[in-house]
Amino acid sequence: MNAVDLFRLDGARALVTGGSRGIGRAVAEGLADAGCDLVVTARTLSALDSTVRAVEDRGRKAVALDGDLAGPGVAAALVDRAASALGGLDVVVHNAGTLPTAEDGSPLLLPLQHAEQGDWETVITVNLNATAAVCRASHPYLLESARASLVLMSSVAGVVGTPMMEAYAATKAAQLSLARSLAVGWARQGIRVNALCPGWTRTDMTAFASEADVLSDWLTSHVPMGRWATTDEVVGAALFLASPAASFVTGHALVVDGGLAVPDGGLAGHPKPSSPFAAA
Ligand SMILES: NC(=O)c1ccc[n+]([C@@H]2O[C@H](COP(=O)([O-])OP(=O)(O)OC[C@H]3O[C@@H](n4cnc5c(N)ncnc54)[C@H](OP(=O)(O)O)[C@@H]3O)[C@@H](O)[C@H]2O)c1
């Protein structure tokens, strides 16, 4: 046995939600490198073109599907359409997720006591309810697979306290719980379920912070490695969980965060600027 081959997924049929950019796109490309054919999803069909091209450039099949996970029945329909397009599913990486968003599209960072209940519900709908729907709809397809792996893209925000993002953090913690419960329930059915918890990663979702010096310095001051992750740094962990390399790994939350969740990562001793949210 060549251990590197354990990371191969030749001919596997994979669904990556939120595959148009950021972490999802990087994971889709990584799975294609490992030999997967892919369905990638997002709300904006045209935004998936470059991922489709990147997967096809790797010699693999790629299908783009659009759908807003906030819509009733959309998550389950996307899974069914994906399975139909690929003739089944072996790997599901449910990656799409959102922060609370203001009307102008910018992230709405407010402490819970100042946030509207409607903002809470939007985040719960997309990040948690759609996750449950994706898991439920994936089950019959994964049941038919000899190498079934479901990976939920949670976050370090589900592991550590994350002020100003309470709804987001609660959904990410709920994804960890769901991954553990499903892992136990589906273990004898041959379906592995794991969660991946990236730390602060440079993507469109986090541009509001990574491109703002004060906020970026404050956030990275809490990261022992002292910097943002790149999307490529999340891919290896996703591939590990999806592949036979993790054949005895289920119910795990794999944290990829530069040490942020290590208690007490703050002891790394980086100078701590005062919080930009101190007055909130
Ligand atoms: N970036 C980080 O620091 C970080 C850290 C930890 C965990 N995560 C998690 O990693 C995942 C990806 O994050 P990212 O930073 O790569 O985000 P991103 O750059 O904003 O990309 C999000 C992806 O999800 C899709 N999407 C968003 N809302 C959707 C909806 N309502 N219905 C369907 N698709 C939707 C987006 O496409 P459309 O806009 O076209 O729909 C896009 O493809 C999320 O679950 C996030 O919580 C991110």
Side-chain angles (χ1 to χ4, degrees), residues 71-88:
V74 171
L78 282 173
V79 172
D80 289 339
R81 290 167 66 201
S84 166
L86 297 176

Side-chain angles (χ1 to χ4, degrees), residues 14 16 19 40 57 71 73 85 96 111 132 134 139 145 153 155 180 186 192 196 199 206 235 257 263-264 268 279:
V16 178
V40 284
D57 286 349
V134 166
H139 180 254
S145 167
M153 196 63 70
S155 170
R180 291 183 184 117
W186 295 355
R192 295 185 298 104
L196 206 167
T206 52
V235 174
D257 69 344
D264 177 354

Side-chain angles (χ1 to χ4, degrees), residues 13-34:
R13 301 152 299 178
L15 164 64
V16 178
T17 64
S20 58
R21 50 196 159 84
I23 293 170
R25 177 179 168 157
V27 168
E29 292 182 14
L31 290 173
D33 283 334

